[in-house]
Amino acid sequence: MADAEAATAPAPTSKFEALKQGSGHLREPLASELENDSRSFSDSAVQILKFHGSYQQDNRDNRRKGEEKDWQMMLRLRSPGGRIHPSLYLALDSLADRFGNGTLRVTTRQAFQMHGIAKADLREVIGTIVRSLGSTLSACGDINRNVMAPAAPFSSGGYPAARQLADDIADLLAPQAAEGSYLDLWVDGDLSYRIKPSRAVRKVQQRQSEGALFSGDGAEPLYGSTYLPRKFKIAVTVPGDNSVDLLTQDIGLVLFSDGSGRPLGCNVYVGGGMGRTHNKEETFARTADPLGWVAFDHVMDLVQAIAALQRDHGDRQQRRHARMKYLIHDQGIAWFRQELQRYFPHPLRGLRTEPKARLQDYLGWNRQGDGLWFVGLPLLCGRLEGELKSGLRQLVETYQLEVRLTPNQDLLLCNIASNQRAGLGQALAALGYDTPEEPPVLERHAIACPALPTCGLAITESERILPDVLERLEALRQRLGITKSFLVRMTGCPNGCARPYMAEIGLVGSGVDAYQLWLGGTPGLTSLARPFLEKMPLADLEATLEPVLLAWKQEAGPRTSLGDWIAKVGDERVATLLRQA
């Protein structure tokens, strides 16, 4: 019997909640439909499939009136901190060619996605990933998603501890009963592939069955049979490194360490999130609020306490209002701190002072600190295909290089010996990476979501046209004589997968070849942009932005970013400049 003080799982209040509760810990109807000959899953099975790391899509370029859609699956990996060991990378590369569309894509949450997988091949693809010591469990769905951390394999400072904390949190918040369902479906129930948390994680995990943390479901003590109300995102970083877009997360942790790298504790931020819906003002992008400082010994307890609080208080009636950002917005951070005491008995202190945040990218050659090197390769939009994909495969296979994926959709080749640098450098130059530390200035930090043709939510293009958009903006920058860069992000819909609301110039799809224009984010990703135009035709891009960029050049100091200048002059002035177009 559940502890008398345990929080009981809320009764289903929507069709989706009932579906989760009746799925047998994320098993049905997916398991049954894997056995039929249909080329697609039912809507109910699709919702359960997400928890297993896959979305059902169709290639919208191939839609024909009166014909069945070109059904295919997108598959996303679970890879905390973006770490991919050589054998897994080689398996993914091969799977993409054999069963996918021949490409791999680095996501903005440091994971690989594969596209174009047929339903009939899904079991072989996921099974091969698991047997190669990878996983897709919890990469999607109403659960904790891939945990982010700085990708750089630095062996000193706070970086090793931050990477380890990300790994530990990923294991801590992995579902337990649903993991059994996952292994049953994809590797015939082989329990040797279970997640193997550390002793410290297991100790904290045991407390999920106690007090308010307990869901009331002994098989799934933290999540219960209905899991979370909505997706849940966490990132860990070190002071000053904002490669992870910390303030866009449900939980953002800044890990402080002493001079020897021993972790001391974390500044904690809660309630960030990017997703919104056009013409639904009750939905909005939001940056996280500071919660406080927590000693390192209690960090994992705090993380699972916050997840349990969201489990119990998040909105399970309206999915567009279900993220934790809305709970904190509606109730306030003071209420959140007070309610958290039911789940977390340890003290929260005031935040420690942090250095100015910077979007670190680690491009080019860098010393790891352990006698080895890594090289960061810019990869616009994160898409690996063609000669670049085959060339990287050969390098990973020849040198047995570990791969790390960044939140900026770039790729790091790691653990390179000094005597391997010259040969690797020549091979990379042959692939077009003569100077990987110097990509085109606007491309360096620009990111985009996949959008068309595979994403069912896309209103218009994103990834496929970002190179052309950046080329146009670069020509405008050169023509105006601007020497500084600015941060550009683009999405095909308002859901915010490429986090456009943090960009200095954010383009958010709102119609065919038309975009909302968001301006005023900062290069360090510390403040939200604001919407200025609802439906800007892409054809008007240069004419629209020229008055703003010209005024920035003429009025701002040499070190003032576009976003900082917009904050200084105010939205009304910027709107006036846009009307001059």
Side-chain angles (χ1 to χ4, degrees):
M1 180 176 290
D3 190 302
E5 297 180 2
T8 57
T13 53
S14 71
K15 179 180 178 180
F16 195 84
E17 292 297 307
L19 173 65
K20 289 187 287 185
Q21 188 176 56
S23 69
H25 296 112
L26 308 180
R27 185 183 301 268
E28 291 292 353
L30 177 61
S32 297
E33 293 191 23
L34 279 169
E35 304 305 323
N36 67 35
D37 295 329
S38 173
R39 296 181 62 245
S40 63
F41 292 102
S42 69
D43 289 344
S44 294
V46 164
Q47 299 307 322
I48 301 304
L49 178 65
K50 292 178 182 178
F51 290 84
H52 295 251
S54 182
Y55 280 79
Q56 180 167 280
Q57 302 176 331
D58 74 288
N59 188 327
R60 293 165 67 176
D61 285 348
N62 294 341
R63 287 183 181 178
R64 302 290 185 272
K65 187 174 181 180
E67 296 182 9
E68 185 181 10
K69 292 179 180 179
D70 181 11
W71 294 112
Q72 52 188 254
M73 309 299 148
M74 179 276 284
L75 190 61
R76 184 183 297 155
L77 266 70
R78 170 194 189 268
S79 52
R83 188 175 185 178
I84 308 289
H85 56 78
S87 59
L88 177 58
Y89 180 89
L90 296 174
L92 295 173
D93 180 271
S94 176
L95 289 169
D97 289 343
R98 292 171 56 209
F99 300 106
N101 66 358
T103 76
L104 290 171
R105 190 175 193 277
V106 181
T107 76
T108 58
R109 290 199 69 80
Q110 298 180 268
F112 271 129
Q113 282 184 182
M114 301 170 61
H115 293 264
I117 302 168
K119 173 177 175 278
D121 296 327
L122 196 56
R123 180 169 275 149
E124 182 169 354
V125 173
I126 295 181
T128 302
I129 289 171
V130 174
R131 293 184 180 96
S132 301
L133 304 185
S135 178
T136 64
L137 177 63
S138 305
C140 318
D142 298 347
I143 202 163
N144 180 56
R145 302 284 188 92
N146 198 43
V147 181
M148 297 170 68
F154 296 130
S155 62
S156 59
Y159 283 92
R163 294 194 298 270
Q164 184 61 54
L165 180 57
D167 286 343
D168 286 346
I169 290 172
D171 291 349
L172 176 70
L173 299 188
Q176 297 180 31
E179 184 186 20
S181 300
Y182 179 82
L183 296 176
D184 284 346
L185 264 60
W186 309 115
V187 289
D188 298 321
D190 189 338
L191 298 182
S192 68
Y193 295 109
R194 273 196 179 278
I195 294 168
K196 299 174 178 63
S198 67
R199 180 181 300 177
V201 172
R202 291 198 304 271
K203 185 176 180 180
V204 177
Q205 213 167 35
Q206 290 172 357
R207 293 194 277 274
Q208 293 176 0
S209 298
E210 301 173 1
L213 288 173
F214 185 41
S215 68
D217 182 342
E220 198 72 275
L222 179 63
Y223 290 118
S225 60
T226 52
Y227 297 83
L228 293 179
R230 204 70 167 81
K231 66 183 76 171
F232 199 78
K233 298 181 176 182
I234 300 174
V236 183
T237 192
V238 300
D241 185 333
N242 198 19
S243 58
V244 299
D245 233 337
L246 190 85
L247 297 181
T248 67
Q249 314 290 332
D250 289 276
I251 303 177
L253 301 170
V254 181
L255 178 63
F256 287 72
S257 301
D258 64 17
S260 65
R262 182 177 65 89
L264 302 174
C266 292
N267 280 348
V268 184
Y269 299 83
V270 292
M274 293 285 97
R276 46 177 293 277
T277 303
H278 286 320
N279 303 315
K280 301 288 185 183
E281 295 304 315
E282 68 273 19
T283 68
F284 45 82
R286 187 180 193 275
T287 52
D289 291 327
L291 182 67
W293 159 273
V294 63
F296 183 72
D297 288 346
H298 305 312
V299 170
M300 285 193 286
D301 280 298
L302 176 61
V303 167
Q304 69 181 15
I306 293 171
L309 191 161
Q310 164 66 357
R311 174 199 70 203
D312 294 343
H313 293 283
D315 190 341
R316 291 181 183 266
Q317 294 181 327
Q318 299 183 59
R319 285 187 63 77
R320 70 165 61 104
H321 189 253
R323 290 290 299 276
M324 195 171 76
K325 65 179 178 179
Y326 297 116
L327 176 65
I328 294 176
H329 173 80
D330 294 346
Q331 300 289 347
I333 191 65
W335 172 89
F336 191 87
R337 286 196 188 95
Q338 181 68 31
E339 185 64 20
L340 189 61
Q341 294 178 18
R342 292 185 55 238
Y343 305 82
F344 181 71
H346 306 290
L348 290 170
R349 310 294 187 190
L351 293 184
R352 293 201 173 184
T353 302
E354 300 174 27
K356 184 177 181 180
R358 294 185 58 195
L359 199 177
Q360 304 283 5
D361 57 34
Y362 326 116
L363 297 181
W365 287 92
N366 300 270
R367 293 183 182 273
Q368 293 183 183
D370 53 4
L372 300 176
W373 295 77
F374 73 93
V375 59
L377 306 178
L379 193 62
L380 185 61
C381 300
R383 186 72 66 175
L384 271 176
E385 57 188 336
E387 292 183 4
L388 177 58
K389 177 174 170 291
S390 59
L392 287 179
R393 177 193 173 90
Q394 184 175 356
L395 293 179
V396 171
E397 190 168 25
T398 300
Y399 295 98
Q400 287 298 295
L401 302 176
E402 184 176 273
V403 172
R404 304 281 183 102
L405 311 177
T406 81
N408 215 54
Q409 300 181 296
D410 298 322
L411 183 148
L412 314 183
L413 298 177
C414 306
N415 302 332
I416 301 167
S418 294
N419 61 6
Q420 296 174 330
R421 273 198 64 181
L424 266 170
Q426 291 174 0
L428 290 172
L431 293 174
Y433 288 114
D434 298 88
T435 54
E437 72 280 1
E438 295 180 355
V441 62
L442 294 185
E443 289 186 12
R444 185 171 197 121
H445 291 154
I447 57 178
C449 69
L452 298 173
T454 53
C455 180
L457 299 176
I459 299 169
T460 190
E461 296 281 0
S462 181
E463 176 189 340
R464 292 197 293 195
I465 66 168
L466 180 66
D468 179 65
V469 167
L470 294 178
E471 186 175 319
R472 291 168 59 186
L473 288 173
E474 176 60 16
L476 176 61
R477 191 179 74 95
Q478 295 285 350
R479 179 166 61 80
L480 297 179
I482 295 172
T483 58
K484 293 177 286 188
S485 183
F486 42 83
L487 176 60
V488 181
R489 290 177 170 180
M490 190 172 197
T491 59
C493 83
N495 286 287
C497 294
R499 303 186 288 273
Y501 310 114
M502 303 299 288
E504 292 180 284
I505 298 177
L507 300 172
V508 178
S510 57
V512 178
D513 297 326
Y515 297 81
Q516 275 190 338
L517 177 64
W518 289 67
L519 300 171
T522 53
L525 305 172
T526 54
S527 62
L528 280 173
R530 278 86 62 203
F532 285 89
L533 297 176
E534 286 300 314
K535 194 170 283 191
M536 178 192 72
L538 192 60
D540 297 343
L541 178 69
E542 293 91 339
T544 301
L545 289 176
E546 181 169 339
V548 176
L549 295 177
L550 191 58
W552 169 48
K553 175 197 173 185
Q554 294 170 344
E555 300 174 14
R559 296 186 178 182
T560 302
S561 69
L562 176 60
D564 286 339
W565 175 79
I566 288 173
K568 180 180 178 181
V569 302
D571 291 358
E572 186 175 339
R573 172 79 193 292
V574 175
T576 299
L577 290 167
L578 289 171
R579 286 194 291 268
Q580 296 176 13

